[in-house]
Structures are given as C-alpha cells and as structure tokens.
Amino acid sequence: MVQQSEFIWFDGKQVPWAEANVHVLTHALHYGTGVFEGIRAYECTDGSSEVFRLREHMVRLLDSAKIIGFKVPYSLEELIQATEDTLKVNKLAGAYVRPLVFVGEGAMGVHPGNNPIRVCIATWPWGAYLGEDALEKGIRVKCSSYTRHHVNVMMTKAKACGNYVNSVLAKTEAVADGYDEGILLDTTGHVAEGSGENIFMVRDGVIYTPHISQVLAGLTRDSVMQLATDLGFEVREMSIGRDMLYTADEVFFTGTAAELTPIREIDRRQIGEGKAGEITKTLQTEFFKILKGDNPDYEHWLHRYTLD
C-alpha cells in the first residue's frame, strides 16, 4: 500500500491527498492517454535532501507528452519548483515522486478532442522496490512470455501510461510463477528490459547492456553507464540473447524504483555465484554515495533542498 502523504500538487495547487480525484469518465482512465515519471528524493548524509536528476526527469516527461501529442500547460521550471514545493509541504526528506500528465474528462471516444490536459505530482515515502534483501542477495527472474512493444507499434521512447499494460502482464506472470520480476525480449528475440527496469550483464570484466534503440532511455541506466566508465570499466551497448544472460558472470537491473538490484537467477539458472557480484557491488556502493550526496563529482545530478 502507498503510504499517504498530506498533499498532492494538482493543476497548480496543493490539494489534500484524499481530494486529489478525477471523474470516472476521465479519458486517460479509459484509453491510457497519459505520461508519467518515476523520480526519487534522498536524504543526504549532511542533513540536506536531494532529488536525483530531477531536471532530466522533467525534460523526459515533457518529451513523452510531445511524442504522444499533447502540450503540458506548465513549463519545465514550474514542474521542477512544484516538485520541490510538494516535498517540502509534505515534510519529506526522502521520497518517491510521481509526476503524471493525462487527458481529462470531456469527449469520450478514442480521439481526445479538446479535453483538458491535467497535471499532478504526488510524493510519498517508499523503500526498496524489490525488497530490502534484494539489494544484497539478488532476485529471481524469468524471461516473460510477453514481448516488448515494437518501435512502430507503440511510441517506445515515451513513458506513456498505456505502454505499461505490457509491463503489468509481464510482472503479474512472473510473480504468479514464483519469480520476483520478468525480463521482456524484443520482437527480434533479443533482451530488452524488465517490466520497469533496464538490464545489464557482466562477462569477463566487461559490462554489457542492450542498445539504446532497443529500450526506454532510463536515467538510472545512463547514470550507471557514466559511473562505470568513470570507474574504469568498459561498457558496451549491444544486442543480447537470453542465452548470453545465462552464462554471464553478473546480471543486474537499474531503475529509479529498483535502483541497482542484482539478479541471482534467471529461468532457474544460477547467475555467477548466485548473489551480487563484485562489479555489481562496486557500482552499488559508488552509486549510493552519489545518491547520499557523498561524491562531489556528481553534484550536478542532484537537485538539493532542505525542509523548513
């Protein structure tokens, strides 16, 4: 269950959580016409707080809306400020942040007509997405029977609400089969991503990940690739077959929610030593230093704020 906070920023105002409602004939509820982001705020070791790559997330939100074909009635700077304001009014030093832009009520039918574009930003406390033990012990995953969207079937570079029915099916199937998460293959049969994560594998000291053309351009993915390169690791983008995952030394997921989560088993095959590998642990350690504000080299990724 979501741990409720006090207010949600909704169409330019701070609205009490229980009053941030929409009509049942809201267009997005019926047709998936919305775009969203997943963002995290962290409490830093110096007592301040930061929102990780807030500006880049909001740029992607606006890009997603443009791809889907509607104009957001707020500027980039307004959305950034609204996020900070909402964290402060809810007194959250660390939180999950969910901006959502969607087509409201009005015309009913596939064409949204002149229905209003509505915007909300919700913030609430949230721990490890895949469980606290997952960050250390790793998780069990399966290759899903569902295929990731083809680039000309859905707008795969938009973080669009309707796209995620595909993810819901894959995740639900994985959990029902006793796994923690699913891996989706693309329409060529190559590894794409998890239901809500990007994926990496390590073989002989080299880090591999599916090419950007095959996946959603995750900001945690980008951050980990930059971090790994800065640490001296070789990072390659390439097409990856599922059998390559089976014989990898290490495999891990990245994502705002998943952070950096090791994978210990895929399709009943143990990966490496069956726990977080050395490169995964190194990246985890250094990544969390950044999130906690302990590496000044990456300060430009942090949107700092303090609670009044």
Side-chain angles (χ1 to χ4, degrees), residues 10-132:
F10 201 174
D11 291 339
K13 299 178 181 178
Q14 296 293 346
V15 177
W17 181 285
E19 297 175 20
N21 302 316
V22 297
H23 195 276
V24 294
L25 295 185
T26 293
H27 194 274
L29 182 61
H30 295 258
Y31 301 107
T33 46
V35 297
F36 69 97
E37 280 294 316
I39 310 172
R40 275 201 195 245
Y42 291 87
E43 187 170 6
C44 299
T45 54
D46 66 0
S48 69
S49 295
E50 64 91 2
V51 190
F52 187 63
R53 302 195 71 170
L54 173 59
R55 179 171 294 274
E56 293 94 327
H57 275 289
M58 288 305 185
V59 167
R60 189 172 67 175
L61 181 74
L62 295 173
D63 286 347
S64 292
K66 185 176 183 180
I67 290 169
I68 299 303
F70 49 79
K71 182 175 175 57
V72 181
Y74 298 94
S75 70
L76 173 63
E77 298 303 328
E78 287 174 321
L79 293 171
I80 290 171
Q81 188 60 53
T83 301
E84 181 176 332
D85 292 344
T86 306
L87 288 163
K88 287 181 174 180
V89 75
N90 286 316
K91 300 179 177 60
L92 291 170
Y96 189 79
V97 180
R98 171 53 56 87
L100 173 68
V101 180
F102 62 98
V103 180
E105 65 175 296
M108 278 301 291
V110 173
H111 193 283
N114 294 318
N115 292 18
I117 303 301
R118 309 199 66 186
V119 185
C120 66
I121 301 173
T123 61
W124 65 88
W126 203 17
Y129 175 61
L130 294 168
E132 295 294 340

Side-chain angles (χ1 to χ4, degrees), residues 15 26 37 39 54 66 69 84 140 165 170 177 198 204 206 213 219 231 256 258 262 291:
V15 177
T26 293
E37 280 294 316
I39 310 172
L54 173 59
K66 185 176 183 180
E84 181 176 332
R140 299 177 64 249
V165 174
D177 289 347
N198 291 116
D204 296 330
V206 179
S213 63
L219 286 163
L231 291 171
T256 296
L291 298 180

Side-chain angles (χ1 to χ4, degrees), residues 38-264:
I39 310 172
R40 275 201 195 245
Y42 291 87
E43 187 170 6
C44 299
T45 54
D46 66 0
S48 69
S49 295
E50 64 91 2
V51 190
F52 187 63
R53 302 195 71 170
L54 173 59
R55 179 171 294 274
E56 293 94 327
H57 275 289
M58 288 305 185
V59 167
R60 189 172 67 175
L61 181 74
L62 295 173
D63 286 347
S64 292
K66 185 176 183 180
I67 290 169
I68 299 303
F70 49 79
K71 182 175 175 57
V72 181
Y74 298 94
S75 70
L76 173 63
E77 298 303 328
E78 287 174 321
L79 293 171
I80 290 171
Q81 188 60 53
T83 301
E84 181 176 332
D85 292 344
T86 306
L87 288 163
K88 287 181 174 180
V89 75
N90 286 316
K91 300 179 177 60
L92 291 170
Y96 189 79
V97 180
R98 171 53 56 87
L100 173 68
V101 180
F102 62 98
V103 180
E105 65 175 296
M108 278 301 291
V110 173
H111 193 283
N114 294 318
N115 292 18
I117 303 301
R118 309 199 66 186
V119 185
C120 66
I121 301 173
T123 61
W124 65 88
W126 203 17
Y129 175 61
L130 294 168
E132 295 294 340
D133 287 346
L135 294 174
E136 173 60 29
K137 297 178 181 178
I139 59 172
R140 299 177 64 249
V141 305
K142 65 168 289 184
C143 289
S144 179
S145 68
Y146 297 97
T147 301
R148 196 42 122 196
H149 297 300
H150 184 272
V151 68
N152 206 35
V153 170
M154 296 291 283
M155 296 292 96
T156 58
K157 298 307 176 188
K159 200 170 174 66
C161 298
N163 287 1
Y164 278 77
V165 174
N166 183 234
S167 294
V168 169
L169 291 169
K171 177 78 172 188
T172 303
E173 175 189 62
V175 172
D177 289 347
Y179 294 87
D180 301 300
E181 184 56 280
I183 295 172
L184 292 108
L185 309 181
D186 65 19
T187 52
T188 70
H190 291 94
V191 174
E193 52 201 339
S195 70
E197 310 90 3
N198 291 116
I199 191 167
F200 290 79
M201 58 168 270
V202 179
R203 182 71 185 261
D204 296 330
V206 179
I207 301 171
Y208 300 90
T209 193
H211 195 273
I212 193 65
S213 63
Q214 299 172 275
V215 298
L216 183 72
L219 286 163
T220 306
R221 172 187 183 274
D222 176 72
S223 303
V224 168
M225 290 175 72
Q226 290 189 48
L227 173 62
T229 301
D230 292 345
L231 291 171
F233 295 108
E234 182 180 356
V235 181
R236 299 181 189 172
E237 291 181 287
M238 61 177 287
S239 293
I240 297 172
R242 62 193 291 181
D243 48 0
M244 296 174 69
L245 294 181
Y246 297 158
T247 57
D249 300 320
E250 305 175 37
V251 182
F252 59 87
F253 278 138
T254 64
T256 296
E259 297 170 316
L260 202 159
T261 300
I263 296 171
R264 72 174 188 268

